[in-house]
Structure formats: structure tokens, C-alpha cells
Amino acid sequence: MGALGISDYALFALIVMLPSLLPIGDLGAGAALIDAIEADCGRPGDRERIETTITSSARALTCTGVLVIFCGLAVIGTGAQAVLLGAASAPEAEACLGVTVVLIGCGMPLALGSSALIALRRAHVATLLQAGGNLLALSLVLLFAALDAPIYCFLSAGFLGQSAASLVGLLIAGRILRMSVLRIVVTSLRPGRSVTRIVHLSGPVTVINVATACAYGTDRLVLSHVAGTTDVAVYSAGAQLYTPAWALVNAAAVPLWNLFVRQRRDSIRIPRTELAKLSAWFGSGALLIGAGLVAAGPSVTGWMTHGNAGASTGLMASFAALLLVHAVVSPVTMWLTQPAALRFLAARYVFMALASLVLSVPLAGAVGPAGPVIASAVSHTLCISIPCFRKAFRKAQGASRPDAQCRTAEPK
């Protein structure tokens, strides 16, 4: 904000969040990796399945990265970025968008680093690496501010930081698995490499990622068209505090995926009371974090934006409510990670994205930056939380079928 001013900061906030409109991340490859690694019982074909799963995932991510670059450059070539960015569009938008899409496309295969660590029950390492990538990004931002660099340099900082963290993640995962994961990723497009089928898991997860991106990634675009650049900046300032809070809740929930896969494999039932207790614990944690957002959010965001775009108490309360909605249902969605249940989740996330977008437009005009957040909380509750609780509780009471015919001790 200090280096760019409020108008360029609004452009920065819009473009840096454009990846959230795409199925960015691992395209559901993390689900396939968890399934392959948790099914490793020491049999001859298990190690080969892990390698072919990594190859298939890296190949899909590399091809998608090339497609992202092509589509981004096509948008610039046709001048459609002015329509996309709305009131925040500026003469330097072409260069900013070009740098962003190239970095996104090149960094997509590296996202397997974090996914592999989570699959290996090293979620804490992935979280620390992400924090390290954020610190590197902050260092680059401070450097660019001191050098009075153009806006596209600021845009590159976050992508470079996270790409470096993902690269380190691939190296660590390779040491744990005792295979050259980085080499497998780099050579995934080589003809003749063996692959395996992952679409039954990665497909529904990709749909969930896309639907989530449409639901939450369009908030700034809706505000840019319905309200104005100041509301975009205010929303972005509040989201700067909400995002790490959501990441903390998500980091706590993801290891449950591995746990539930292992327990289903070993025919261990998850009773209704245990799911309820997990949801209560996550909800309690979200309430504490949300109280901190409401209490400190307005003053912190005011300081962050030099008093130009501080978030109101109402906006931070909306973010706190959205965090609570996500946290309470997180253990339940981690339980619904079998292929059939993932397809059920994917359909509900599509409904949620449509409902969120429909509600965001009138609410953004009525209450400003808090409108899209309220729309997200309401749509998530109606379309995801209630159906998932009903399905998971019924599933928890039924008989459990093992996913793999083996039992193993704790991981080596």
C-alpha cells in the first residue's frame, strides 16, 4: 500500500488472487498420493504404484500449467483483461497479468511437494515450508519497495516464494520415500513413462477446487464491478488476516484424511460421537480465532493500509462466521474422502459456488465488502455443511469396508 498507493494496490490484490479462479494447487493429485502411500503394505507393486501416481500427477499438472499460460496470454492478446479487472484495470495490467500467468503455469508441477509431504503425514513440515515461502515473499516485497520497483515485481514475490518452498518439499519427500521425486516430476512428460489411473480420486477433488475457486475467488471481482476499488482494497485487507486463520484450520484438518483412510483400510468404525467431538473441537478453535479477528482486525488492517482501507468490525465478524462454518464441517469432509463420497461432495460444492455467486451480487451492493463473505457463509452452510453432516453420520453408523487388505504399524 505504501509503495503502490490504493489504486495500484487494488490492481495487485485482484491479479494476485486470479489463481484462485483456476483449479490451482495439485488438481486433486494429493488425494491420489494419500491413497497410494497409505496403501503401501510393503508388497512388490506398492512402491511402483507410488512412483506411477507421482508421474501421472506431475504430467497432469505440467500440461495444465502450459494451458494456463496459453489462456492467460490469449486474454492479454485480445485485450479482455480490461473487462476482467473492471474498475481496477490500468495500463500496466497487461505486463502484470503476463508475469502472473507464466509464474503460475511454471509453478504448478512443483505443488506436488506440499501434497507429497501431507500424504507422508508430514503436514507440519509442509506448513513450515509454506511459512518459509511467505517470509521469502515478504523479503522480496520489502526489497522491491526499497528499489521502487514496478508493480509486476511485487506480483512475482508470492509466486517465487511458494515455488521455492514447493521445490524444497519435493526434495524432502524424495528423501523420505527414498526415490528421486524431483526427477520424476521433471521427466513426467517423457514418452514411455509408466502411469496409473488417478481420475477417480483427483477428478472429484479438482471439481471441488474449481467450485471453491469460483465461490471465493470471485468476491473481489464482484466488488470491483458492483462497488469500487476502495471496497476491493478493504476486502483484501480483511482477507489478509482471514487467509492465515483459514490455513491454520485447514492444516489441522488435513491429517485427518490420512487417519480416516488408514482406519477404513483396517475396518475401524468412526462412531457418530467421535465425529461430533472432532467438529466441536474445531468449532471451539474457530471461535477463539474468530474472536481475535474481530478484536484486532480493524486496528491491524488500518495499520497495514496506512489508514486508507482498514476493515470494519462488521467485515471481520463476517470473516469470523465464515471461518466457523468451515471449521465445524472440516472433520466431516475429511471423513467423506472415498471415491463415491468425493463425488457427492463435488456436486454439493458446485451448488455452493452457484448460490454464493448469486447471493454475492445483491449483498455486495447492499452492505459492501462484507456482502460476499456473508453470501459465502450462508451458501456453505446450506449446500455443504448440512448435507455432509447428514451423510457422514449415516455413513459412520454403517459397516466400514477396508480399502486395502493389509494392516501396518505406524509409518517408518
Side-chain angles (χ1 to χ4, degrees), residues 24-25 61 65 69 101-112 159 162-163 166:
I24 289 298
L61 286 165
I69 294 174
V101 296
V102 170
L103 290 174
I104 293 171
C106 293
M108 285 195 71
L110 299 178
L112 278 176
F159 298 107
Q162 288 309 310
S163 293
S166 297

Short mmCIF file of all heavy atoms in Angstrom, two decimals, residues 24-25 61 65 69 101-112 159 162-163 166:
data_model
loop_
_atom_site.label_atom_id
_atom_site.label_comp_id
_atom_site.label_asym_id
_atom_site.label_seq_id
_atom_site.Cartn_x
_atom_site.Cartn_y
_atom_site.Cartn_z
N ILE A 24 -6.10 -24.28 -9.24
CA ILE A 24 -4.70 -24.23 -8.85
C ILE A 24 -4.47 -25.13 -7.64
O ILE A 24 -5.35 -25.39 -6.85
CB ILE A 24 -4.29 -22.78 -8.54
CG1 ILE A 24 -4.24 -21.98 -9.84
CG2 ILE A 24 -2.98 -22.69 -7.82
CD1 ILE A 24 -3.22 -22.50 -10.82
N GLY A 25 -3.25 -25.57 -7.49
CA GLY A 25 -2.90 -26.49 -6.43
C GLY A 25 -2.39 -27.76 -7.07
O GLY A 25 -1.58 -27.72 -7.98
N LEU A 61 -0.37 -31.94 -14.07
CA LEU A 61 -0.10 -30.57 -13.62
C LEU A 61 0.74 -29.80 -14.65
O LEU A 61 0.52 -28.61 -14.87
CB LEU A 61 0.62 -30.60 -12.27
CG LEU A 61 -0.26 -30.97 -11.07
CD1 LEU A 61 0.60 -31.33 -9.87
CD2 LEU A 61 -1.18 -29.80 -10.72
N GLY A 65 -0.44 -26.51 -16.54
CA GLY A 65 0.35 -25.28 -16.45
C GLY A 65 0.57 -24.64 -17.82
O GLY A 65 0.47 -23.42 -17.98
N ILE A 69 -0.85 -20.88 -19.10
CA ILE A 69 -0.03 -19.84 -19.75
C ILE A 69 -0.65 -19.44 -21.08
O ILE A 69 -0.76 -18.24 -21.40
CB ILE A 69 1.41 -20.35 -19.94
CG1 ILE A 69 2.08 -20.56 -18.58
CG2 ILE A 69 2.21 -19.36 -20.79
CD1 ILE A 69 3.46 -21.19 -18.67
N VAL A 101 0.62 -15.20 -15.08
CA VAL A 101 0.23 -16.48 -15.67
C VAL A 101 1.46 -17.35 -15.97
O VAL A 101 1.39 -18.58 -15.84
CB VAL A 101 -0.62 -16.28 -16.95
CG1 VAL A 101 -1.92 -15.59 -16.60
CG2 VAL A 101 0.14 -15.52 -18.02
N VAL A 102 2.58 -16.74 -16.34
CA VAL A 102 3.79 -17.53 -16.59
C VAL A 102 4.28 -18.18 -15.30
O VAL A 102 4.64 -19.37 -15.27
CB VAL A 102 4.88 -16.65 -17.22
CG1 VAL A 102 6.22 -17.39 -17.25
CG2 VAL A 102 4.49 -16.24 -18.64
N LEU A 103 4.29 -17.42 -14.21
CA LEU A 103 4.74 -17.97 -12.93
C LEU A 103 3.78 -19.04 -12.42
O LEU A 103 4.21 -20.05 -11.85
CB LEU A 103 4.87 -16.85 -11.90
CG LEU A 103 6.02 -15.87 -12.13
CD1 LEU A 103 5.97 -14.73 -11.12
CD2 LEU A 103 7.36 -16.58 -12.04
N ILE A 104 2.48 -18.84 -12.62
CA ILE A 104 1.50 -19.85 -12.21
C ILE A 104 1.73 -21.16 -12.96
O ILE A 104 1.81 -22.24 -12.37
CB ILE A 104 0.07 -19.36 -12.45
CG1 ILE A 104 -0.27 -18.19 -11.53
CG2 ILE A 104 -0.93 -20.49 -12.24
CD1 ILE A 104 -1.59 -17.52 -11.88
N GLY A 105 1.84 -21.05 -14.29
CA GLY A 105 2.00 -22.25 -15.10
C GLY A 105 3.27 -23.01 -14.79
O GLY A 105 3.26 -24.25 -14.68
N CYS A 106 4.37 -22.29 -14.60
CA CYS A 106 5.65 -22.95 -14.32
C CYS A 106 5.68 -23.57 -12.93
O CYS A 106 6.38 -24.56 -12.69
CB CYS A 106 6.79 -21.95 -14.47
SG CYS A 106 7.05 -21.37 -16.16
N GLY A 107 4.92 -23.00 -12.00
CA GLY A 107 4.96 -23.49 -10.63
C GLY A 107 3.99 -24.61 -10.33
O GLY A 107 4.07 -25.23 -9.26
N MET A 108 3.07 -24.92 -11.25
CA MET A 108 2.05 -25.92 -10.95
C MET A 108 2.62 -27.31 -10.65
O MET A 108 2.21 -27.95 -9.68
CB MET A 108 1.02 -26.00 -12.08
CG MET A 108 0.05 -24.83 -12.08
SD MET A 108 -1.40 -25.13 -13.12
CE MET A 108 -2.28 -26.35 -12.16
N PRO A 109 3.58 -27.84 -11.43
CA PRO A 109 4.10 -29.18 -11.09
C PRO A 109 4.79 -29.21 -9.73
O PRO A 109 4.80 -30.25 -9.06
CB PRO A 109 5.10 -29.47 -12.23
CG PRO A 109 4.71 -28.55 -13.33
CD PRO A 109 4.16 -27.33 -12.69
N LEU A 110 5.37 -28.09 -9.31
CA LEU A 110 6.06 -28.05 -8.03
C LEU A 110 5.10 -28.18 -6.85
O LEU A 110 5.52 -28.52 -5.74
CB LEU A 110 6.85 -26.73 -7.89
CG LEU A 110 7.93 -26.48 -8.94
CD1 LEU A 110 8.59 -25.13 -8.70
CD2 LEU A 110 8.98 -27.60 -8.91
N ALA A 111 3.81 -27.93 -7.07
CA ALA A 111 2.83 -28.04 -5.99
C ALA A 111 2.75 -29.45 -5.42
O ALA A 111 2.23 -29.64 -4.31
CB ALA A 111 1.45 -27.60 -6.49
N LEU A 112 3.27 -30.42 -6.13
CA LEU A 112 3.28 -31.79 -5.62
C LEU A 112 4.14 -31.93 -4.37
O LEU A 112 3.99 -32.90 -3.62
CB LEU A 112 3.79 -32.76 -6.70
CG LEU A 112 2.77 -33.21 -7.74
CD1 LEU A 112 3.46 -34.09 -8.78
CD2 LEU A 112 1.64 -33.97 -7.09
N PHE A 159 4.56 -15.75 -5.73
CA PHE A 159 4.70 -16.97 -6.52
C PHE A 159 6.12 -17.53 -6.41
O PHE A 159 6.31 -18.75 -6.33
CB PHE A 159 4.35 -16.69 -7.98
CG PHE A 159 2.94 -16.24 -8.18
CD1 PHE A 159 2.64 -14.92 -8.48
CD2 PHE A 159 1.89 -17.13 -8.03
CE1 PHE A 159 1.34 -14.50 -8.65
CE2 PHE A 159 0.58 -16.72 -8.20
CZ PHE A 159 0.30 -15.40 -8.51
N GLN A 162 6.53 -19.24 -2.84
CA GLN A 162 5.87 -20.53 -2.71
C GLN A 162 6.48 -21.58 -3.64
O GLN A 162 6.51 -22.77 -3.30
CB GLN A 162 4.38 -20.39 -2.97
CG GLN A 162 3.64 -19.68 -1.85
CD GLN A 162 3.94 -20.26 -0.49
OE1 GLN A 162 3.86 -21.47 -0.29
NE2 GLN A 162 4.29 -19.41 0.46
N SER A 163 6.98 -21.17 -4.80
CA SER A 163 7.64 -22.13 -5.69
C SER A 163 8.92 -22.65 -5.05
O SER A 163 9.23 -23.85 -5.14
CB SER A 163 7.96 -21.47 -7.04
OG SER A 163 6.77 -21.17 -7.74
N SER A 166 7.87 -25.15 -2.42
CA SER A 166 7.43 -26.41 -3.03
C SER A 166 8.61 -27.23 -3.54
O SER A 166 8.61 -28.47 -3.43
CB SER A 166 6.47 -26.12 -4.19
OG SER A 166 5.30 -25.48 -3.72
#
